[in-house]
Amino acid sequence: MKQAISINVNGADHAGEVEPRLLLVHYLRDVLGLTGTHIGCETSICGACTILLDGQAVKSCTMFAVQADGSNITTIEGLATNGNLHPMQEGFWECHGLQCGYCTPGMIIAATQIVDRNPNPSRDEIRHGLEGNLCRCTGYQHIVEAVEYAAAKKSGV
Amino acid sequence: MIPAEFNYARVSTLDEALTLLAQNEDAKILAGGHSLIPAMKFRLIQPPLLVDIGRIKDLSYIREEGGQIRVGAMTTHYQIEASDLLKEICPLLPECAGSIGDMQVRNKGTIGGSLAHSDPAGDWPAAILALNAELVAVSKNGERTIKAEDFFVDLLTTALEPGEILREIRINKPNGRTGHAYMKMHHPASGFAVVGIAANLSFNGNNKCKAANIGVTGVAAKAYRATGVESALTGVNLDDASIGAAAAHATDGADANGDLFASADYRRHLAEVYTKRAIAAAMKSVPSA
Ligand SMILES: Cc1cc2nc3c(=O)[nH]c(=O)nc-3n(C[C@H](O)[C@H](O)[C@H](O)COP(=O)(O)OP(=O)(O)OC[C@H]3O[C@@H](n4cnc5c(N)ncnc54)[C@H](O)[C@@H]3O)c2cc1C
Ligand code: FES
Ligand code: FES
């Protein structure tokens, strides 16, 4: 039986009816058309589908849309403000934190959580925080540097 | 990877959840969903009804009460990992929480879900056994307390009865000269424990071990207390030789799992090595008098 949900995504309210088995990532991509959130593995491993659910980084392939009813979600599309890149996006741009870009939306969202919780993370702490995000291209080094760039920029260093 | 169809009910009180469970024999509780949803996606299970307890107020807390630490079943791994109170009074819990999966998994998965699921490679069972925790289960018939050592029954099977919900985990506040540690070999892909050893030791003077509790996960179908190690440590002055002799009992009586990643022999070997490391680390963590 379909279930009514209402979810705020990137500041906009969305209401509708969904099947309980609809995964949150499919709701974002197929119902709302927000295809910035990627699907890499569908098995909770790769982190490409990471979004912020009420401020917590979670894998949207491992949640049903109905569970997010009443919540606030931020996807990669919601990070930039007034056309200005979020510091984390800028870091990935400046430090070449991506090649093909497939993992990037999930990486950036997870990385914002790392810096929110720990404004000055060490390289080890960054790597530990990104354990749930796989990248097949970069070898991670530039991603770690991108996160360091964003942390430094946020704290005004 | 689309799960089979199911009905979904979100409850706001424990009582509502218990009523739905009593009325629907095959219903499943949905907590963090990080064991349940993967299993549903593979259609390993197809529950007709999910009862989402994620919004029940007061099922997610960490508090000190009557000399005990009380943790609500819906408390996430991350909340435990980040708890300043626990870092101070029971650091084994945050240490264990921080070793689970990855940041996103820890943000969503819960201690109650993990214990109720009782994955043979799950981390919480080892820590809960080593801390001699008590688990509070509620059903329509009331509440009962289950000792950790009676809770894990078999592969993915606990002492919880149909219709019961795990509500709270209770741990006696460690006092005196005690030390804890959790040592885990991470599966490189999933992060689960190939072997995980939780040690909880208390000492008289010097290095004489007054009591030892050792919880083992990853080795067998269910987590267990390594009683052979515990008795070999109790009353003994701990040094490399006595720790090594005790750790040799880590898999006594256990039927070790073998899989593509680690054979049964390798797991037994790891269990011994990680038991030594956990005991040594627990000794180091004892606050100096
Ligand atoms: C990529 C990935 C990596 C992981 N790595 C690890 C790891 O390294 N170590 C580890 O220990 N775990 C790991 N996990 C599992 C994770 O910790 C889960 O969160 C946990 O096992 C289940 O908790 P949950 O809250 O998600 O429960 P759910 O998945 O919602 O529920 C699990 C089961 O328990 C039942 N249940 C849930 N809550 C209750 C309750 N209060 N009372 C009665 N029954 C209940 C449900 O009906 C279900 O059968 C990993 C998971 C993923 C997806
Ligand atoms: S698509 Fe969700 S973790 Fe890979
Ligand atoms: S940039 Fe290609 S997967 Fe990360």
Side-chain angles (χ1 to χ4, degrees):
Chain A
M1 206 177 46
K2 283 201 172 183
Q3 203 109 10
I5 57 169
S6 89
I7 303 182
N8 183 291
V9 183
N10 302 328
D13 288 321
H14 297 274
E17 293 212 326
V18 298
E19 266 194 83
R21 64 174 168 167
L22 182 70
L23 296 172
L24 181 58
V25 70
H26 290 140
Y27 175 75
L28 294 170
R29 290 176 55 86
D30 303 344
V31 179
L32 302 187
L34 294 169
T35 51
T37 303
H38 290 171
I39 303 177
C41 66
E42 274 195 279
T43 52
S44 327
I45 299 287
C46 76
C49 64
T50 302
I51 54 137
L52 295 177
L53 174 79
D54 294 325
Q56 305 284 305
V58 298
K59 293 175 178 174
S60 61
C61 73
T62 313
M63 256 194 88
F64 298 116
V66 283
Q67 287 176 276
D69 181 25
S71 302
N72 290 304
I73 286 177
T74 305
T75 67
I76 189 70
E77 290 93 340
L79 282 188
T81 40
N82 304 322
N84 296 318
L85 293 183
H86 183 281
M88 194 59 73
Q89 291 173 304
E90 192 184 307
F92 274 68
W93 175 301
E94 291 295 334
C95 302
H96 311 288
L98 61 143
Q99 288 179 26
C100 79
Y102 203 87
C103 68
T104 312
M107 281 287 176
I108 289 182
I109 295 278
T112 61
Q113 175 106 89
I114 296 171
V115 175
D116 277 350
R117 286 180 181 171
N118 178 359
N120 188 16
S122 67
R123 292 194 163 191
D124 278 351
E125 286 166 339
I126 294 169
R127 286 180 184 273
H128 179 58
L130 291 175
E131 271 165 3
N133 295 76
L134 302 182
C135 176
R136 303 202 303 179
C137 306
T138 63
Y140 301 98
Q141 186 56 33
H142 288 314
I143 293 178
V144 174
E145 285 162 13
V147 181
E148 284 183 313
Y149 175 103
K153 169 135 192 182
K154 267 188 87 176
S155 54
V157 183
Chain B
M1 285 228 206
I2 313 287
E5 282 185 33
F6 60 87
N7 287 317
Y8 170 86
R10 181 164 56 232
V11 296
S12 44
T13 64
L14 256 182
D15 209 48
E16 262 179 82
L18 294 172
T19 305
L20 281 173
L21 287 185
Q23 289 165 353
N24 302 275
E25 215 182 311
D26 297 324
K28 278 264 176 203
I29 297 283
L30 174 63
H34 271 49
S35 290
L36 186 60
I37 296 175
M40 288 174 67
K41 287 207 267 183
F42 284 114
R43 303 209 178 188
L44 297 172
I45 47 167
Q46 308 192 1
L49 171 68
L50 291 191
V51 179
D52 185 353
I53 60 171
R55 305 277 177 97
I56 298 180
K57 282 210 189 72
D58 206 33
L59 217 49
S60 165
Y61 54 83
I62 298 168
R63 55 181 175 241
E64 219 185 316
E65 208 174 302
Q68 284 186 319
I69 298 155
R70 301 193 169 178
V71 181
M74 277 302 298
T75 310
T76 62
H77 309 320
Y78 173 69
Q79 286 168 325
I80 296 173
E81 177 188 9
S83 161
D84 288 332
L85 175 69
L86 291 179
K87 282 181 201 160
E88 195 190 314
I89 62 177
C90 191
L92 182 63
L93 291 175
E95 189 184 343
C96 179
S99 82
I100 294 175
D102 55 53
M103 182 178 75
Q104 293 94 315
V105 169
R106 295 192 292 274
N107 278 344
K108 202 83 184 74
T110 68
I111 185 170
S114 177
L115 292 169
H117 187 62
S118 187
D119 193 294
D123 293 293
W124 282 126
I128 284 322
L129 283 165
L131 289 168
N132 272 322
E134 289 176 345
L135 300 126
V136 182
V138 276
S139 72
K140 276 282 173 200
N141 306 325
E143 201 165 277
R144 67 181 177 122
T145 307
I146 308 165
K147 284 190 187 149
E149 56 187 324
D150 300 326
F151 188 76
F152 306 103
V153 175
D154 202 347
L155 183 74
L156 304 175
T157 309
T158 69
L160 290 173
E161 300 282 347
E164 264 186 332
I165 294 180
L166 177 59
R167 184 175 74 72
E168 187 177 80
I169 295 96
R170 295 181 179 166
I171 294 158
N172 287 331
K173 202 176 141 186
N175 57 23
R177 295 193 65 223
T178 61
H180 305 136
Y182 185 58
M183 285 284 157
K184 164 183 181 182
M185 161 121 176
H186 291 255
H187 188 286
S190 71
F192 273 98
V194 179
V195 162
I197 312 285
N200 170 16
L201 308 176
S202 59
F203 293 91
N204 287 322
N206 304 325
N207 284 337
K208 187 139 184 200
C209 177
K210 192 162 71 176
N213 288 294
I214 308 288
V216 180
T217 191
V219 172
K222 62 166 186 138
Y224 63 91
R225 289 243 318 252
T227 47
V229 180
E230 294 173 357
S231 47
L233 293 172
T234 308
V236 171
N237 265 319
L238 297 195
D239 55 24
D240 284 352
S242 58
I243 293 172
H249 297 286
T251 56
D252 283 4
D255 190 2
N257 291 328
D259 56 28
L260 273 179
F261 182 73
S263 66
D265 272 346
Y266 181 49
R267 270 203 169 73
R268 277 191 287 269
H269 171 71
L270 285 176
E272 185 174 336
V273 172
Y274 278 76
T275 299
K276 275 188 230 170
R277 291 184 188 172
I279 295 167
M283 280 177 72
K284 270 211 190 111
S285 77
V286 179
S288 42

